[in-house]
């Protein structure tokens, strides 16, 4: 089965902790993305990567970090510098920047 | 800067009706426009991608139209079913090729 997986499905973080969200794809896509979704709002882009070992900041990158060491993997770290991290996080991939994006099932992060 | 708006935020219709969802964008120089569906607590599923050179794109009971001059796209759903209940989102790329998203329309189909 080809697709995108995200883990964990639910994640709880204490104040001051860093947490890492996993995103893996076996679609052989070059481009990968991380979005944040808050209730009643559209998706907002955190980071994106068009090729291995390269990534760019999106609109709300502050307090987040990523790596792209392998084509199939694009993990997102939510650092303690992110003041309001409670949200639904979605990972996506596409063949190229203007192609259809395919999404994972999401990770819901809650700060305790 | 591209902005994408979806009105209304929520819509409830009886089963069997045909319906239209709206998506407006401010920059008519778009490359394409995409429609997605999202079920509660789930990821997004791509429905249709309509290129800037196209006027319409169809998939089953779904038909998306694009009018760049008016900055508008519509998603037409024929013979609606309760299983069509979901939030529908549209998105268009900005000048950096990154998608700008509408907030979505929550659709409820009443049996």
């Amino acid at each position: 089965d080809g697709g995108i997986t995200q883990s964990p499905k639910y994640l709880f973080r204490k104040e001051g902790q860093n947490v890492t969200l996993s995103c893996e794809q076996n679609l052989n896509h070059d481009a990968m993305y991380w979005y944040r979704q808050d209730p009643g709002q559209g998706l907002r882009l955190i980071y994106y990567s068009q090729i291995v070992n390269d990534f760019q900041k999106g609109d709300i990158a502050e307090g987040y970090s990523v790596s792209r060491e392998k084509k199939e993997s694009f993990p997102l770290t939510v650092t303690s510098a992110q003041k309001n991290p409670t949200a639904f996080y979605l990972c996506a991939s596409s063949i190229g920047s203007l192609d259809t994006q395919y999404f994972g099932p999401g990770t819901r992060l809650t700060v305790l | 800067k591209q902005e994408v708006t979806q009105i209304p935020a929520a819509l409830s219709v009886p089963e069997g009706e045909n319906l239209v969802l709206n998506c407006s964008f401010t920059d008519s120089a778009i490359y394409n426009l995409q429609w997605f569906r999202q079920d509660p607590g789930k990821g997004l599923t791509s429905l249709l991608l309509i290129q800037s050179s196209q006027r319409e794109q169809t998939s089953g009971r779904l038909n998306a139209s694009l009018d760049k001059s008016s900055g508008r796209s519509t998603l037409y759903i024929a013979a609606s079913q309760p299983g069509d209940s979901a939030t529908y989102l549209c998105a268009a790329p900005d000048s950096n090729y990154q998608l700008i998203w509408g907030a979505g329309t929550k659709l409820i189909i009443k049996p």
Side-chain angles (χ1 to χ4, degrees), chain A residues 9 33 35 37 40-45 48 50 59 88 90 97-106 108, chain B residues 1 31-32 34 36 38 41-46 49 51 89 93-94 96-104:
Chain A
K9 185 173 182 179
Y33 314 82
Y35 292 97
Q37 187 176 35
Q41 298 188 31
L43 276 66
R44 292 184 289 169
L45 183 65
Y48 63 100
Q50 295 175 317
D59 296 328
F88 191 50
L90 289 159
S97 297
L98 292 176
D99 295 303
T100 297
Q101 293 189 12
Y102 295 87
F103 283 78
R108 187 166 298 281
Chain B
K1 182 182 175 183
Y31 301 100
N32 59 46
Q34 300 186 41
F36 295 82
Q38 185 177 29
K42 307 289 186 183
L44 279 67
T45 301
S46 176
L49 184 154
Q51 301 288 357
L89 298 101
D94 65 11
N96 294 318
Y97 303 160
Q98 301 316 311
L99 289 180
I100 305 300
W101 295 82

Side-chain angles (χ1 to χ4, degrees), chain B residues 49-111:
Chain B
L49 184 154
I50 183 165
Q51 301 288 357
S52 62
S53 59
Q54 297 176 307
R55 296 294 300 272
E56 288 187 356
Q57 189 70 259
T58 298
S59 176
R61 294 184 293 109
L62 306 179
N63 177 279
S65 69
L66 178 63
D67 184 345
K68 292 188 294 181
S69 62
S70 66
R72 188 168 177 238
S73 176
T74 61
L75 180 67
Y76 173 85
I77 302 177
S80 58
Q81 304 170 357
D84 294 329
S85 297
T87 296
Y88 291 81
L89 298 101
C90 65
D94 65 11
S95 57
N96 294 318
Y97 303 160
Q98 301 316 311
L99 289 180
I100 305 300
W101 295 82
T105 295
K106 183 176 181 179
L107 177 64
I108 298 173
I109 306 299
K110 297 177 289 186

